[in-house]
Structure formats: structure tokens, C-alpha cells
Amino acid sequence: MFGIVQRRLRTLAEYEEAWVTPVDVPNFVRELGEPGSLSTESGFQAAAHFIAGSLERSDFKLFRNGGLPLLERRTPPLREEILLRLGPNAVRGAYLPVSLELHICHEGLREIRERYWLGAGRPPMVLVSGNIGLTQQIPTFDIWNVLTEDALSELLFTIRQDVLPFLELLDAPNQLRRAIFDFEAPLFDHATAIEWLLIEFGRKDARDYVRALIDNEDIAVRDFWSHHDAVKSELGAAIKTGETARNLAVIAVSHDLFRRWLY
């Protein structure tokens, strides 16, 4: 059987390239793996059911999302999902690449985002999302070969050690608040952190977080106030992907975090 259990990639670009690039499996390994082995789809579904069975005690239920296995748990106001994806270059009996993607929705986000959501339809409720490897102490984008002997046990260990504690953190607002202000909250970008603080703790904490970002030099004070003034004069300012200072200004103006130039 092919020896790769887990591939840990440091960046999204490396992960995306590894995901679509065929792995070089020696011919003799292919020949050993094929006789009597499960088909790729059967092996994938078997792995999904094994993971689902192990997480049933944590109240996760197995559903289908466009044919892909989806583990879901609802603990209002949160909807927690773990989506299993099958890689495009499996080798029967030897290599079955799988990634697990975490998606967390929060019911309170819709009200927060309505003030600056210009898209068609209602604002999305997605709080955080990403590869489960990003919840580890050293975040990575992970691909698992679930055909290896130890893969499923190691994968479940990772879920119990990193993913479930992260989900518990989401259910403990005071602990998550501390992690956010310490810049140690996995998967949270700055804009999402402010949105969550507005939901759970209100305008003062959201304002204090912007100040903490400026003090930490994560955003330049001149950039933030420049965007803040520009956004105030815009009609219907919206968040734009990748523009951190502007996005923070949009949220700040929309929720009246800074009434004056006081710092």
C-alpha cells in the first residue's frame, strides 16, 4: 500500500497545486493494490461513514451536499459543517486523497452585515471556513490518503485534538474573545473578528479591536482613517476582498464605531 498518509501544505497555492497534481505511484504498488480493492467511490464513502460513526457521539449527523458527504451539527446560533471532498487523482487500492473543509455559520451575522451588503439576496451567515488543518497550532492545508493503514485513526485524532476544541471555543464567547484579542483565533480574519465581537459583545469591543490592530501595526493608522473618511462619503459602501483597511473602515462606519477622530 502507498505510504503517504498526510500531506501538509503551508499555503493555499501549494495546496491547490497538490490537489490537482497526480501523485507518482510506482507500478508495482498499483498492481498490488488493485486486486480485490474497493472502487475509489466505495472507498471514499466507506471512509466518510467511518468518520461519521466516530463523530456521532459529538452529535454530528451525516448528510449529502450535492453528493458529497457532509457532517453537520446544529447548536443555535451556530451551524457547524465538515465537508469531505475527494481528490481528482485517486489510484485504486493505493491512493485516495481526501480533504475536510470546515464551514461555520452564525445566525447573528445577517443582521450585522445587512448594513453593508450590496449583493443580491440576503447577506451570508458564514462566520469562518477552511481546511481543518488550519485549526492546528501550526496551521496547514492538509490532504489525507485514507487508504493507508493509519490514516483514518490519525485523521480522527486530528479532529478530536484540533477541530472539536476549536468548535468548543466558538461556544465559549469569553474564551474566544480573549483568543481574538491575542490574535490566536484560528480561521478568523480581522473583519470577521469585528463582526463576531459586534454580535457577542457590542460596539465597544469592536472598537477596541480596531485600536488593537492599529497598536499592533496590523493596519496603518493613516490608511484606516483615510478609508474611514472616504467610506463616510460613499453611498452604499461594501466590503471588497483583500482590502483589509477599507473593509474594517466599512464595518466601523456602518456600525458607528468611531463618531469622532478620537483614538
Side-chain angles (χ1 to χ4, degrees):
M1 188 171 291
F2 198 43
I4 293 178
V5 174
Q6 180 191 29
R7 304 175 68 186
R8 304 183 67 183
L9 294 312
R10 291 188 300 175
T11 68
L12 178 59
E14 290 176 352
Y15 165 79
E16 290 177 339
E17 182 178 358
W19 186 250
V20 299
T21 302
V23 168
D24 185 17
V25 179
N27 288 334
F28 78 91
V29 174
R30 293 173 181 264
E31 293 169 359
L32 287 174
E34 287 184 2
S37 64
L38 293 173
S39 68
T40 295
E41 181 62 27
S42 296
F44 176 56
Q45 296 299 332
H49 280 86
F50 181 86
I51 296 168
S54 299
L55 293 181
E56 188 174 5
R57 68 187 67 179
S58 298
D59 297 324
F60 278 95
K61 300 184 183 302
L62 180 63
F63 296 95
R64 301 288 168 181
N65 181 26
L68 293 176
L70 173 71
L71 303 174
E72 183 182 87
R73 181 172 71 176
R74 291 177 181 258
T75 53
L78 298 175
R79 184 174 79 242
E80 304 160 336
E81 300 175 343
I82 302 175
L83 178 66
L84 282 73
R85 298 174 59 219
L86 173 62
N89 294 299
V91 178
R92 182 167 181 166
Y95 183 59
L96 187 58
V98 169
S99 74
L100 280 72
E101 305 293 324
L102 191 62
H103 298 273
I104 311 296
C105 293
H106 194 300
E107 294 172 357
L109 278 173
R110 191 152 277 163
E111 182 178 352
I112 295 297
R113 289 172 174 166
E114 281 176 346
R115 300 191 184 192
Y116 47 85
W117 181 253
L118 302 182
R122 304 177 69 186
M125 295 190 297
V126 177
L127 179 66
V128 293
S129 64
N131 189 283
I132 66 166
L134 297 174
T135 64
Q136 299 170 125
Q137 186 172 9
I138 301 176
T140 55
F141 297 84
D142 295 349
I143 300 173
W144 295 83
N145 177 16
V146 295
L147 283 184
T148 56
E149 184 175 351
D150 299 325
L152 287 175
S153 61
E154 291 188 24
L155 176 52
L156 288 174
F157 177 78
T158 294
I159 291 173
R160 295 189 181 111
Q161 177 177 265
D162 299 310
V163 179
L164 294 182
F166 172 69
L167 297 179
E168 291 302 316
L169 183 64
L170 292 174
D171 198 35
N174 286 322
Q175 293 181 39
L176 180 53
R177 176 189 179 278
R178 187 159 51 248
I180 285 174
F181 274 94
D182 289 340
F183 306 108
E184 295 178 353
L187 293 170
F188 275 79
D189 61 26
H190 297 321
T192 304
I194 292 176
E195 291 173 328
W196 182 86
L197 287 168
L198 281 167
I199 295 171
E200 297 290 346
F201 293 97
R203 292 172 59 251
K204 181 183 183 303
D205 270 31
R207 178 169 57 248
D208 288 347
Y209 183 71
V210 175
R211 287 172 170 164
L213 291 174
I214 292 173
D215 289 342
N216 199 49
E217 298 184 350
D218 285 339
I219 56 173
V221 61
R222 289 183 180 274
D223 285 348
F224 174 76
W225 287 116
S226 176
H227 285 295
H228 192 275
D229 284 352
V231 167
K232 287 182 70 173
S233 64
E234 288 182 29
L235 181 62
I239 282 180
K240 297 181 180 180
T241 303
E243 298 188 17
T244 301
R246 184 185 189 282
N247 292 344
L248 298 183
V250 168
I251 298 173
V253 170
S254 299
H255 289 274
D256 195 21
L257 298 188
F258 298 94
R259 296 183 181 180
R260 294 182 295 173
W261 272 45
L262 289 180
Y263 178 67

